[in-house]
Amino acid sequence: MALIVKKFGGSSVANAERIQRVARRVVESANEGNSVVVVVSAMGDTTDDLIDLARQLTTNPSPREMDMLLSTGEQISIALLAMAVQQLGHTSISFTGGLAGISTEAVHGRARITDIDPTRLHGALNDGSIVIVAGFQGTSEDGSITTLGRGGSDTTAVALAAALKADLCEIYTDVDGVYTTDPRVVKAASKLSAISYDEMLELAHLGAGVLHPRAVEFAKQYNVALMVRSSFNHNPGTLVEEVAAMEQGQIVRGIAHDMNVVKVGLVGVQSRTGNLKRIFQALADQAVNVDIIVTSVVHDEQSDISFTIGEDDLDTTLTTLKSQFPDVQLSVEQNLAKVSIVGAGMISNPGVAAQMFATLADAGISIKMVSTSEIKVSTVIDQDRAHQAVQALHTSFGLDSVQEAVVAGLDSHA
Amino acid sequence: MALIVKKFGGSSVANAERIQRVARRVVESANEGNSVVVVVSAMGDTTDDLIDLARQLTTNPSPREMDMLLSTGEQISIALLAMAVQQLGHTSISFTGGLAGISTEAVHGRARITDIDPTRLHGALNDGSIVIVAGFQGTSEDGSITTLGRGGSDTTAVALAAALKADLCEIYTDVDGVYTTDPRVVKAASKLSAISYDEMLELAHLGAGVLHPRAVEFAKQYNVALMVRSSFNHNPGTLVEEVAAMEQGQIVRGIAHDMNVVKVGLVGVQSRTGNLKRIFQALADQAVNVDIIVTSVVHDEQSDISFTIGEDDLDTTLTTLKSQFPDVQLSVEQNLAKVSIVGAGMISNPGVAAQMFATLADAGISIKMVSTSEIKVSTVIDQDRAHQAVQALHTSFGLDSVQEAVVAGLDSHA
């Protein structure tokens, strides 16, 4: 008998019929002898509807009250799913994040989980209940309801799996698993049977969209076996674990792209006075996620700095920089994309970056920024060339032909 | 500076515009120097929408999960109202029932408040915030979310007023106050400037609908000054307090009617064996509210028993009686109404009941059951004669002419 945490996103519980399907699926798993904990997001458009309501009242809602408001979305889902499970004749009990023992920082809108007390969940599991937990939320020390922000439900699922020492954490999505790249962009994209945490982390960070990076980090930290699979069929998904068996000959495992990139340039920053630290500290204080940073020393005492951020953070970034560094000259370049190749095999294969640059050059795509890690190379290019770049790289790194290999890999997991 | 608890029902917060109106109203009160606690219900149809969702999944939802589901309605309202208040430039903070320190019995759907720990609310009031609390809900000892059932938001408001030692508890409704009878039934009905707890209790119990009896009981028990007033205007409402000044010459203060009455008859119950107690205990265990009870001893050892219940409780009542007392012969009479006259002056005025019976007889209305207390006389009659009965009694007891007296009374309260 295994203890399995299953996470279903908002589209999987968008209406009564879908909730019933999820209920059947989790009861099926329980009837196979598993202890089942289910983490759910808010139903379909609920969160957007609630945000609309708030916008009718204020342009700048208090983050605490937004959390109070938005956390109702998951609370509705858990109650309904518990009822649907009970209707199938299985005992079930739902818990909000707070009731499930999930403590977070006292930060609203993007709190991090600080602790989980699984006492209540263990009690309910021991009673034989299918346990339903609201994703995306917790409570801070003063008792306020907090939300975890984007990817929060994935993170809830993984954190609960860690706290409960679950055997597996299954993330149900609207795709069959993790693909070599976005199948909407590249037709020849194929599903990976397995991938390492580090690779998944790079792909997740780079906008693969299937799993939130915070969840993957959590999974890596607590060594939680993660399975990404479809809520619409019973196909085996992609297993994310410490070391995934390499697909034969695959140095590059996947290609990710992020269409939502803005490049901000700062010209003539005084280097001596610790400005670099002050700039990025100021942005961090405003919770701006800075991605790629490139600096060049122009004179002894002056630097040019470029960095990328998401489109959403542009207003905050400009306001912060203008108010705190009024003397610095700012430039903004929008409509950019980041295209990245990811693969643990890169570490021992020099020349991968060079092949990437050559492939893009051959396609006539100019590279504006580059960033590398041990297992990925990212390039910033014009947004309208991004899909072309992904297609060219998918071919260049031999991923178009991966299909059979993956299918074979899947069979061994089925 | 007064501490005022203000309660707004679902229709007062049904949309963004109405929420803004409530926000303006409570900020106005705060700007006059008052400490303000606001209790709100769920927005308009939210609760019904949630019940519909549940019904799509199950015919018999678990009460715990219904509470988990329905409590989101008020949680949405409080967050939105807090945002609307903040938008007006006043600090505000919202609390669910549990966060507001409201503890209840571990009964779902109709829990009673057992304790209130006002520490968090006092803290927020001391910070100068307008405090918004979700009505209708609390938490039980095991941490589960509970709801208080019908009239729960009124009860929340009064209970908070008691716990906070508030100077006044204002219940905002869609009417101007408590009327001598339902103005939709009797055009000459007029608003009372003041009424005693006991009179209000009888009127509330009898279906006057403005204030829930549990809330009035709570107010009486803790001597909370209650004001029933309109959320749509600034007219003074009806003050409910320990002893209300009598309107001149008014023995009967108001006339209530309840259209939702069923009479259940049990023929030939063995009296000796404690059956009477067993029957009503069995119904109480199923949370059936039995109202009027009439028994008559037919032989030495057999009684005929009649009692009234609400239409909603009929199924439960019949199921309970048939299963636990299979030998007893049952009769059911539906489509009845209860019409009652209420007034503290009755105690010292015999002949009031006789006048009531004569008035109904003159109108050709036959009385099926009678029940009396010190300050009310209730009659059960055919439902389709109820409005006629109310009209006749309103005239007979001199309430048609009360208008000027009440207006004068109002002036002294303005």
Side-chain angles (χ1 to χ4, degrees), chain A residues 16 27 46 66 68 72 80 97 163 193 240 266 272 289 383:
Chain A
V27 168
T46 309
M66 274 309 275
M68 182 66 90
T72 61
L80 294 175
S193 58
V240 189
L266 302 172
R272 278 198 314 187
N289 280 317
Q383 204 178 74

Side-chain angles (χ1 to χ4, degrees), chain A residues 58 64-65 68 87 94 99 143, chain B residues 58 64-65 87 94 99 143:
Chain A
T58 173
R64 181 187 184 280
E65 300 304 330
M68 182 66 90
Q87 182 69 8
S94 72
L99 288 177
Chain B
T58 174
R64 181 188 184 279
E65 300 304 331
Q87 181 70 10
S94 72
L99 288 177

Side-chain angles (χ1 to χ4, degrees), chain B residues 6 20 48 69 95 98 138 200 237 255 286 292 340 373 399 401:
Chain B
K6 294 167 187 280
Q20 285 164 332
D48 289 339
L69 180 68
F95 297 98
M200 188 65 232
I255 297 172
Q286 298 300 314
I292 300 175
S340 311
S373 79
L399 295 172
S401 55

Side-chain angles (χ1 to χ4, degrees), chain B residues 324-338:
Chain B
Q324 299 199 29
F325 308 95
D327 300 332
V328 169
Q329 191 186 327
L330 283 173
S331 68
V332 172
E333 193 171 358
Q334 288 176 272
N335 302 317
L336 300 177
K338 186 170 65 167

Side-chain angles (χ1 to χ4, degrees), chain A residues 95-104 117 120 133-134 137-140 143-146, chain B residues 143:
Chain A
F95 296 98
T96 61
L99 288 177
I102 299 173
S103 299
T104 74
D117 174 357
R120 277 207 190 97
V133 179
Q137 56 180 244
T139 29
S140 65
S144 292
I145 297 172
T146 52

Side-chain angles (χ1 to χ4, degrees), chain B residues 298-316:
Chain B
V298 180
H299 308 295
D300 280 355
E301 297 176 2
Q302 285 203 324
S303 299
D304 289 354
I305 303 168
S306 298
F307 60 88
T308 63
I309 51 172
E311 197 74 51
D312 289 350
D313 282 334
L314 181 58
D315 287 349
T316 310

Side-chain angles (χ1 to χ4, degrees), chain A residues 16 56-58 62 64-66 68 71-72 75-76 79-80 83 86-87 93-94 99 120 142-143 145, chain B residues 16 20 56-58 62 64-66 68 71-72 75 79-80 83 86-87 93-94 99 120 142-143 145:
Chain A
Q56 288 176 45
L57 293 166
T58 173
S62 122
R64 181 187 184 280
E65 300 304 330
M66 274 309 275
M68 182 66 90
S71 60
T72 61
Q75 193 174 326
I76 292 171
L80 294 175
M83 289 178 197
Q86 289 166 355
Q87 182 69 8
I93 183 166
S94 72
L99 288 177
R120 277 207 190 97
D142 73 352
I145 297 172
Chain B
Q20 285 164 332
Q56 288 177 46
L57 293 167
T58 174
S62 122
R64 181 188 184 279
E65 300 304 331
M66 275 308 275
M68 182 66 91
S71 61
T72 62
Q75 194 174 326
L80 293 174
M83 290 177 197
Q86 290 166 355
Q87 181 70 10
I93 183 167
S94 72
L99 288 177
R120 276 206 191 98
D142 73 351
I145 297 171

